[in-house]
Amino acid sequence: MDGTTTETSKLEQLWQLTAISDVTLQMVVMWVVIAVLFYMGVYKKYEPLLLIPIAFGALLANLPTEGLINPPVGDHAGGLYYYISKGVDYEIFPPLIFLGVGALTDFGPLIANPRMLLLGAAAQFGVFATFLGATLIGFTAMEAGAIGIIGGADGPTSIFLANKLAPHLLAPIAVAAYSYMALVPMLQPPIMRALTTEQERKIRMKSLRQVSRLEKLIFAGMVTIVVILLVPAASALIGMLMLGNFLRESLVAERLTKAAQNELINVVTIFLGTSVGITMTGERFLNAGTLKILALGVVAFGIATACGVLMAKLMNLFSANKINPLIGSAGVSAVPMAARVSQVEGQRADPGNFLLMHAMGPNVAGVIGTAVVAGYFIAWFS
């Protein structure tokens, strides 16, 4: 009898050492959500560089972990992600992502055809329309601003703005932003086809002129000066974006350019994604507000796409040099995926039509536009 009691006691001690009893129903439900994110990232290859870190961070958030996210107590250090997440809290990671994006981006198509700035600007109507819609269904103005930026299809900017205006909504906003960026090839084509005729989709645009290195350097400097003078709150994003681009176009800082394009952006992407995922606890994510944000994200993205296409059609009324309206959809800043969608849809109508470089103009204009709108919201509500 004593031996049996001792064995039972040891089993109880072993059980108490585990965390199985701490698993909750909310955690199990979140495992299903996480499985969907993994499926989208791994098997469907939708934005895997961000969705996989976000999903894995969410998995860690929905397990009874120790030494991972706990704050410091007395002389005891905090958990690993208590410190790593400071890169989001202190708004370090998104600007560093922009540094890498700038180093990867060629602004030549935009410089060669400056009219494309209007298409990038038109896509921002989706942001403001969703801002108004979010306020009408009960979100505060600051929450609505953070939600509306999803329409810009720019993940780092969405995270940056959410952390400024509505940090409690960071997880659903980030997931919505990156999920809809990943679904660009599915979400945009029906809108593009519905708003254009077959004849419009067959429009062939004139070849772009060659842009000199000096023009690109001047452009990076001028955008930095003008945007920061007009919207100082966008300084961190625009400054890092144009620093990365200036390094690229200078052609004399190859090591720095490659570091920004590869090691820096890759490391920061891992930390940013997992830091966002670590906030996706069941308590924060499984509520009616999250469903509203996901729905508003689709609306924002749809309106942004439609406004870009419609702006191109409007510009054609006053121009002899016609624009293929399909490239208007690339005004959202999902670089370069949205530009590729314009190319694919154009070749469906005319296999000999090549729109990719033309679409890159509004695509990179959208990056600048979304950063400016984010700065506007920060200035307005801070």
Side-chain angles (χ1 to χ4, degrees):
M1 188 71 177
D2 291 339
T4 304
T5 302
T6 302
E7 290 178 3
T8 302
S9 177
K10 288 181 178 179
L11 289 174
E12 289 177 351
Q13 290 175 357
L14 288 173
W15 175 260
Q16 290 171 0
L17 289 174
T18 72
I20 297 173
S21 60
D22 296 326
V23 174
T24 65
L25 179 60
Q26 277 189 330
M27 289 181 179
V28 175
V29 173
M30 284 300 298
W31 294 348
V32 176
V33 175
I34 292 161
V36 172
L37 294 178
F38 276 132
Y39 175 76
M40 291 172 61
V42 177
Y43 289 99
K44 290 297 185 179
K45 298 181 181 179
Y46 294 154
E47 288 290 328
L49 299 184
L50 254 301
L51 283 186
I52 291 175
I54 287 175
F56 207 93
L59 178 61
L60 294 175
N62 290 279
L63 289 169
T65 58
E66 289 186 11
L68 189 67
I69 57 176
N70 55 289
V73 178
D75 295 331
H76 297 283
L80 174 65
Y81 269 89
Y82 171 79
Y83 297 104
I84 291 178
S85 295
K86 295 302 180 186
V88 176
D89 297 340
Y90 296 156
E91 296 151 8
I92 297 170
F93 290 158
L96 290 182
I97 293 285
F98 261 57
L99 176 63
V101 169
L104 289 164
T105 301
D106 179 8
F107 285 101
L110 177 59
I111 299 170
N113 193 355
R115 293 189 300 165
M116 298 300 103
L117 280 169
L118 295 175
L119 299 183
Q124 308 312 314
F125 282 109
V127 175
F128 290 105
T130 307
F131 166 77
L132 295 174
T135 56
L136 291 175
I137 64 173
F139 287 100
T140 67
M142 295 177 72
E143 291 171 339
I147 294 168
I149 209 71
I150 295 172
D154 189 325
T157 304
S158 297
I159 292 170
F160 186 81
L161 189 60
N163 191 61
K164 281 275 193 183
L165 303 184
H168 57 290
L169 298 180
L170 176 62
I173 287 173
V175 170
Y178 281 109
S179 297
Y180 297 140
M181 282 174 62
L183 294 174
V184 161
M186 296 174 60
L187 295 175
Q188 284 196 317
I191 300 171
M192 296 161 70
R193 293 179 207 136
L195 296 176
T196 57
T197 65
E198 185 175 356
Q199 195 63 34
E200 287 175 325
R201 294 195 288 274
K202 290 182 177 180
I203 292 175
R204 293 194 177 191
M205 298 176 64
K206 293 182 179 180
S207 298
L208 296 172
R209 67 175 179 85
Q210 189 70 28
V211 176
S212 71
R213 170 191 177 197
L214 179 60
E215 286 179 283
K216 293 180 179 180
L217 291 173
I218 292 173
F219 177 82
M222 289 304 299
V223 169
T224 304
I225 293 169
V226 172
V227 172
I228 291 177
L229 287 177
L230 294 177
V231 191
S235 298
L237 297 177
I238 290 295
M240 290 298 98
L241 179 70
M242 291 305 160
L243 169 59
N245 190 252
F246 200 93
L247 290 173
R248 169 197 170 98
E249 302 303 345
S250 70
L251 303 181
V252 295
E254 185 178 359
R255 286 172 52 193
L256 299 183
T257 303
K258 288 185 175 179
Q261 291 174 335
N262 297 291
E263 292 84 2
L264 177 64
I265 197 170
N266 290 336
V267 170
V268 175
T269 295
I270 294 172
F271 289 159
L272 176 64
T274 49
S275 295
V276 169
I278 214 83
T279 67
M280 287 178 59
T281 58
E283 294 83 358
R284 290 182 176 181
F285 202 79
L286 298 176
N287 55 62
T290 297
L291 296 177
K292 291 179 182 178
I293 290 170
L294 294 174
L296 287 167
V298 172
V299 172
F301 200 81
I303 294 175
T305 299
C307 286
V309 173
L310 293 174
M311 175 58 79
K313 290 167 69 80
L314 178 63
M315 290 169 67
N316 281 343
L317 297 177
F318 306 96
S319 175
N321 186 10
K322 301 298 182 185
I323 299 170
N324 189 313
L326 292 175
I327 72 169
S329 65
V332 299
S333 57
V335 180
M337 195 179 302
R340 289 175 183 159
V341 171
S342 298
Q343 165 76 4
V344 169
E345 288 301 308
Q347 291 202 317
R348 282 187 177 181
D350 177 3
N353 201 0
F354 296 93
L355 296 175
L356 183 60
M357 290 308 296
H358 297 287
M360 284 302 298
N363 210 184
V364 297
V367 177
I368 298 172
T370 303
V372 169
V373 171
Y376 169 80
F377 278 138
I378 293 169
W380 187 263
F381 296 117
S382 296

